[in-house]
Amino acid sequence: MVAMDLIDIGANLTHESFDHDRNAVLQRAREAGVVQQVVTGASREHSPTALRLAQAHPGELYATAGVHPHHATEYTDECDAEMRALHAHPEVVAVGECGLDYFRDFSPRPAQRKAFERQLQIAVDLAVDGVGKPLFLHQRDAHDDFVAMMKNFDGRLGPAVVHCFTGTKKELFDCLDQDWHIGITGWLCDERRGLHLRELVKNIPANRLMIETDAPYLLPRTVKPQPSHRRNEPMYLAHIVAELARDRGEEIEITAAATTATARAFFRLPTPA
Ligand SMILES: [Zn+2]
């Protein structure tokens, strides 16, 4: 395996499945070349935990703070204040995970739209030199509403990444037309539902492309042998970048270096010493 520096922009390291061996998971990630990770904060409960993890691993782990559409009903005024307090910490590098999910509809759609709108407002309010705080976005089966809501904030939002992109060619081009970034996960490796992505990823400019595991979810189906516990880990980012590079017709080193440079610029991460 070639030496490469990778950044996992979406790891749910606060998930309870990591509670018994989180340090070993981090060590395996390092050995696989994952030099930095952005820990996803996706609820009132887990966003503070994501920050604490980042604080415990300075320069290596960073965090997002947000409320996932599945948890939209918990987005009260008090929750909004909690999110704003979390964003005062320098380790919190993006607003999210937030967005819309009409596939599962775990929260009513009006509540999803309200929670999303309030978090977009946070990103606007935290602008530095006129550039809004980066956004870590989730969208599933809600493309039209999602684009419309983002457009309501036109000219006021900073950089945005549509994480775990799984959509159609039209949706991809809509996102790229808006100059949004695209996060690619091991969904790419799913022969049942990810085949279309293998064609689409060639269309993403290197300076808009980032990679993520979404661990512990979405274990890449092409990892052989499949671990018996089925848990995904950040170390499998090396597998994802290899598959992505093949689909893009690039050397792995090229895709690895480009996605790392893009992630570092997007989240404004320092290069580790
Ligand atoms: Zn998501």
Side-chain angles (χ1 to χ4, degrees):
M1 199 86 197
V2 284
M4 28 180 201
D5 287 352
L6 304 174
I7 299 178
D8 190 343
I9 68 154
N12 301 280
L13 288 182
T14 65
H15 193 272
E16 62 190 11
S17 66
F18 295 120
D19 284 351
H20 68 287
D21 68 343
R22 195 170 281 106
N23 283 331
V25 167
L26 289 175
Q27 186 54 33
R28 284 195 287 274
R30 283 176 207 121
E31 287 163 9
V34 181
V35 293
Q36 287 168 318
Q37 302 184 44
V38 181
V39 180
T40 307
S43 66
R44 278 179 88 172
E45 182 192 350
H46 285 275
S47 289
T49 318
L51 169 60
R52 281 197 292 278
L53 260 181
Q55 288 171 329
H57 300 274
E60 181 183 24
L61 300 187
Y62 296 85
T64 72
V67 175
H68 191 283
H70 291 348
H71 297 277
T73 50
E74 69 189 39
Y75 209 95
T76 57
D77 287 344
E78 193 186 6
C79 175
D80 193 72
E82 288 167 15
M83 291 301 137
R84 287 174 185 271
L86 291 172
H87 282 291
H89 295 268
E91 296 87 354
V92 178
V93 292
V95 175
E97 177 172 0
C98 61
L100 300 174
D101 192 314
Y102 294 175
F103 176 69
R104 300 227 188 259
D105 275 328
F106 284 159
S107 289
R109 294 179 185 185
Q112 292 190 35
R113 288 191 286 267
K114 185 142 188 287
F116 185 29
E117 186 168 55
R118 295 197 72 172
Q119 293 176 87
L120 291 174
Q121 188 61 50
I122 292 177
V124 170
D125 292 345
L126 296 178
V128 175
D129 297 331
V131 180
K133 190 155 186 172
L135 279 160
F136 187 83
L137 301 169
H138 174 105
Q139 186 280 115
R140 201 153 171 219
D141 285 5
H143 179 75
D144 291 345
D145 276 8
F146 176 85
V147 172
M149 287 188 64
M150 291 285 284
K151 281 188 176 171
N152 285 339
F153 285 81
D154 238 2
R156 295 185 288 152
L157 297 175
V161 58
V162 180
H163 114 97
C164 191
F165 182 85
T166 59
T168 64
K169 181 171 187 177
K170 180 195 177 296
E171 290 174 358
L172 176 66
F173 279 77
D174 283 352
C175 292
L176 294 174
D177 284 348
Q178 297 299 314
D179 206 23
W180 299 334
H181 290 64
I182 304 293
I184 293 293
T185 61
W187 192 284
L188 183 76
C189 311
D190 188 331
E191 78 289 353
R192 304 162 307 176
R193 53 185 188 173
L195 277 181
H196 70 294
L197 282 181
R198 294 199 176 270
E199 276 301 314
L200 288 187
V201 293
K202 299 184 183 89
N203 298 294
I204 307 171
N207 65 353
R208 290 293 174 268
L209 175 65
M210 298 187 275
I211 52 175
E212 45 177 340
T213 57
D214 207 23
Y217 314 112
L218 301 180
L219 175 71
R221 286 172 60 87
T222 44
V223 162
K224 293 286 181 309
Q226 293 268 292
S228 57
H229 47 68
R230 312 279 316 159
R231 183 185 69 176
N232 194 9
E233 288 189 24
M235 70 168 169
Y236 293 124
L237 196 63
H239 179 88
I240 293 169
V241 77
E243 299 251 336
L244 176 61
R246 195 192 64 191
D247 294 340
R248 285 169 65 80
E250 293 172 348
E251 296 296 326
I252 296 175
E253 296 90 328
I254 300 289
T255 312
T259 53
T260 294
T262 300
R264 212 159 261 154
F266 181 93
F267 293 103
R268 302 167 196 164
L269 306 182
T271 306

